[in-house]
């Protein structure tokens, strides 16, 4: 969530471009953000533009007519320990948290899409999602989309992807290098609010958005 403060008003939006469109602040690049992006990670409260801040995870912003306060309401406790007597109890607890996490993200009125690589993470998520759907705990079915690198054999995960698809009894969507080569230019450039590695695959992401629209979907698990 992004926000910009003026002397008499405040603008906020989950999309940085919407705030810029208001003209509420002068467009000036924040050098500290750029330095953070090029080295490790930018500060969570910064954006590429001066005068526009981001709400860091686990924080709440309180704004009155005299002040703006930022408070942390949650943080990870590295000293907290969970102790069980058996491995089975740890497995049960983990399974409960995983099911709850996946279930929360399947609250949708259209199919939810999942990036399937065939690795442990995406395979576990799709397995839990299908199980929840079968049990009637959620209503949103899951479509899978996989990025297949046929020319780069060391990055080709096709056999793992096929294994999961065969287990589900349905094929997913496959995007190949030809569908959007890395670093290829877009015909219609789009606004870049904050740089990410996804912009190196902008053409592929554009093709993915087209596929999502075919099912009216707005949620992509990655």
């Amino acid at each position: 969530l992004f926000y910009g403060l003026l002397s008499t008003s405040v603008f906020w939006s989950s999309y940085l471009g919407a705030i810029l469109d208001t003209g509420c602040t002068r467009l000036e690049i924040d050098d500290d953000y750029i330095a953070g992006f090029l080295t490790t990670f930018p500060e969570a409260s910064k954006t590429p533009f001066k005068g526009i801040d981001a709400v860091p995870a686990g924080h709440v912003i309180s704004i009155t007519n005299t002040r703006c306060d930022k408070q942390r309401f949650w943080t990870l406790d590295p000293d907290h320990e969970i102790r069980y007597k058996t491995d089975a109890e740890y497995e049960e607890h983990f399974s409960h948290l995983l099911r709850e996490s996946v279930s929360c993200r399947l609250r949708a009125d259209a199919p939810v899409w999942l990036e399937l690589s065939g690795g442990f993470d995406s395979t576990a998520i799709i397995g839990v999602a299908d199980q929840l759907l079968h049990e009637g705990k959620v209503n949103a079915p899951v479509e899978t989309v996989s990025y297949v690198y046929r020319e780069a054999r060391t990055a080709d995960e096709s056999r793992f992807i096929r294994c999961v698809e065969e287990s589900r009894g349905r094929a997913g969507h496959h995007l190949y290098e030809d569908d959007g080569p890395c670093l290829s230019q877009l015909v219609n450039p789009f606004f870049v609010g904050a740089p990410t590695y996804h912009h190196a695959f902008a053409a592929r992401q554009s093709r993915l958005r087209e596929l999502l629209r075919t099912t009216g979907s707005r949620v992509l698990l990655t």
Side-chain angles (χ1 to χ4, degrees), residues 126-145:
I126 191 63
V128 170
D130 285 346
Q131 188 177 49
L132 290 169
L133 185 65
H134 177 73
E135 295 172 358
K137 301 293 178 60
V138 297
N139 297 319
V142 177
E143 297 274 351
T144 64
V145 59

Side-chain angles (χ1 to χ4, degrees), residues 199-212:
H199 296 127
F201 301 92
R204 187 181 72 186
Q205 294 299 104
S206 178
R207 174 62 182 140
L208 176 58
R209 285 195 297 274
E210 293 175 7
L211 289 175
L212 285 165

